[in-house]
Amino acid sequence: MSLKADSAALPKDLKVGAVIVCAGNGSRTGLSYNKILYNLGQKTVLETVLDKFASSLVSSITLVIQKNDEKAIKTLIAPYENVSLTYGGNTRTESVMNGLKAISCDIVVVHDGARPFVRPETINASIMSAIAHGSGITAVPTVDTVKQVHSSRIVESLDRSELYNIQTPQTFRYEEIVAAYQSVSGTYTDDSEVYLKAGYVPHIVLGEYDNVKITTETDLTRTLPDNLKIGIGYDVHRLTEGRPLILGGVTIPHGKGLLGHSDADVLTHAVMDALLSAAGLPDIGVLFPDTDPALSGISSVKLLGEVLTRIADEGMYINNVSAVIIAQEPKLAPHILNIRASLAKSMNVSLDKVNISATTTENLGVIAGGGAIACNASCLLAKQQ
Ligand code: MG
């Protein structure tokens, strides 16, 4: 992946770099590892940040990391161009200083590795502000009423109209922020404070409220509800002699098989419909009509591959799939694990993402007579951030 700097928007020969601080840990999130390595779905926090910067005006990145994470991070950054590593210090202030020493550019964006929800437009706005005013500090107006508290007692009400919550990216003229860091001692929680302390004027750029820094356990899942879609699918096929019985791509030894235009894999059909339903796409009857001669006898697992491509095109991926096969015969219990494994492989997900159960109909209806097999399937799809 390349850093797609739209050089047309930048003064000629101006080099914009980024220092991304990734040297934290997972303690407050309850993780036993660095939160930048947490998987938000298909990608980690770090990769999500790098994707955002890849769509910005930044042309080179230095990640400030802990030595412990070096191996994992090197693997993750392999597909990205112009990303280098340097080690962090004991405090954020030391880590940023190390990052600044390791990069050379005209304008530098400093960003927290644990803010994956930043928009490329915000990164660019902070860069343009730094070009115009020397700095671009991302911030949002404070919405809560803020009080000063001493020993559980409110001692002062602060005027909210003058308060902002400060975020990153914070972008500066490189020489100025380096000079600022060289002129101060002690530790600081953000770069604008260092810049101000050194006598420069930090300039605010409006950011977004959802550009949160992942800090607590709740932050890890805070973006999930809007991005989850549930789907349901149902199918039934008649059992007949002279056909193989195929369920989830597995051939089950039995005197009869399911009748249909394709291989009549009732489980895979129900799963495909659940996936398509969750993705808001037309069902398999529309996508793969049983009047299409090209689909005669086709393996339903092949059709499943096509369905997966379509949901990936929607930016969605499988969280989990669950299905119940309704059959009087044959006994499916000995085959369930094979069927699960086969479906998981076909969908390119791990076994724990797929669960299959089987039931009979207590001697009621056509299924009880061994005349058909039905299947209900449901799934949860998630949208990549
Ligand atoms: Mg069917």
Side-chain angles (χ1 to χ4, degrees):
M1 272 165 265
S2 65
L3 294 170
K4 289 171 284 185
D6 177 6
S7 51
L10 286 176
K12 201 172 172 289
D13 297 333
L14 189 93
K15 196 170 171 231
V16 181
V19 169
I20 302 179
V21 188
C22 304
N25 60 51
S27 58
R28 273 189 289 171
T29 46
L31 297 173
S32 57
Y33 54 89
N34 190 336
K35 58 199 171 188
I36 61 146
L37 300 174
Y38 178 79
N39 199 317
L40 289 169
Q42 280 184 312
K43 290 185 178 179
T44 58
V45 170
L46 177 60
E47 289 166 286
T48 308
V49 169
L50 290 175
D51 285 345
K52 303 297 175 69
F53 274 81
S55 301
S56 78
L57 295 165
V58 168
S59 58
S60 69
I61 294 173
T62 294
L63 300 180
V64 186
I65 65 161
Q66 304 174 49
K67 207 168 177 28
N68 281 349
D69 298 326
E70 186 167 3
K71 202 173 155 205
I73 288 176
K74 272 190 170 161
T75 308
L76 290 181
I77 66 171
Y80 295 89
E81 281 172 17
N82 300 328
V83 178
S84 59
L85 303 179
T86 193
Y87 295 131
N90 292 323
T91 61
R92 187 184 187 281
T93 306
E94 278 180 36
S95 291
V96 173
M97 282 177 78
N98 290 356
L100 291 172
K101 275 183 213 155
I103 200 164
S104 118
C105 51
D106 305 302
I107 296 288
V108 64
V109 182
V110 182
H111 189 64
D112 298 322
R115 287 188 194 268
F117 309 117
V118 64
R119 295 196 183 99
E121 294 77 13
T122 303
I123 301 169
N124 290 347
S126 77
I127 292 168
M128 298 319 281
S129 172
I131 291 169
H133 308 289
S135 62
I137 312 301
T138 310
V140 287
T142 300
V143 288
D144 290 326
T145 296
V146 182
K147 310 275 189 189
Q148 195 158 3
V149 175
H150 288 168
S151 307
S152 304
R153 288 183 188 167
I154 293 174
V155 293
E156 197 179 344
S157 295
L158 303 175
D159 179 4
R160 193 173 61 187
S161 68
E162 292 190 332
L163 295 176
Y164 281 75
N165 289 21
I166 302 298
Q167 307 173 334
T168 69
Q170 298 191 6
T171 305
F172 306 90
R173 286 183 192 132
Y174 177 78
E175 281 179 13
E176 290 181 2
I177 192 66
V178 169
Y181 264 97
Q182 282 167 349
S183 73
V184 299
S185 57
T187 61
Y188 300 86
T189 56
D190 87 314
D191 314 293
S192 69
E193 196 182 348
V194 174
Y195 194 69
L196 180 65
K197 187 130 187 152
Y200 297 104
V201 180
H203 194 94
I204 290 291
V205 172
L206 280 184
E208 309 111 30
Y209 287 98
D210 56 3
N211 177 21
V212 293
K213 184 175 182 182
I214 293 177
T215 307
T216 65
E217 210 166 342
T218 319
D219 294 331
L220 293 173
T221 52
R222 61 182 293 133
T223 60
L224 285 181
D226 276 356
N227 298 304
L228 295 179
K229 299 284 179 201
I230 197 166
I232 185 166
Y234 172 79
D235 197 21
V236 59
H237 282 263
R238 185 183 296 276
L239 268 176
T240 183
E241 283 177 8
R243 297 261 305 179
L245 175 58
I246 298 166
L247 294 172
V250 176
T251 304
I252 312 290
H254 188 47
K256 300 180 204 169
L258 294 170
L259 186 64
H261 183 62
S262 65
D263 64 359
D265 182 339
V266 66
L267 168 61
T268 304
H269 289 187
V271 167
M272 286 193 283
D273 265 347
L275 296 170
L276 290 165
S277 166
L281 294 169
D283 63 30
I284 55 170
V286 175
L287 294 183
F288 313 118
D290 61 7
T291 48
D292 184 349
L295 302 178
S296 174
I298 195 169
S299 161
S300 298
V301 169
K302 252 193 182 157
L303 302 179
L304 177 58
E306 168 69 24
V307 166
L308 295 172
T309 303
R310 286 177 186 248
I311 65 169
D313 288 346
E314 299 293 315
M316 305 196 83
Y317 63 94
I318 294 170
N319 184 74
N320 73 302
V321 168
S322 182
V324 53
I325 304 167
I326 306 148
Q328 193 66 42
E329 60 177 47
K331 280 272 166 262
L332 292 173
H335 306 290
I336 290 291
L337 187 58
N338 271 348
I339 293 172
R340 273 181 71 196
S342 165
L343 260 187
K345 193 171 169 224
S346 303
M347 294 190 290
N348 198 23
V349 296
S350 56
L351 192 62
D352 64 307
K353 303 268 186 189
V354 180
N355 211 352
I356 309 288
S357 58
T359 186
T360 66
T361 59
E362 291 288 333
N363 296 316
L364 296 168
V366 65
I367 289 172
I373 294 180
C375 185
N376 281 320
S378 61
C379 73
L380 197 62
L381 295 187
K383 199 159 187 127
Q384 179 67 35
Q385 297 293 320

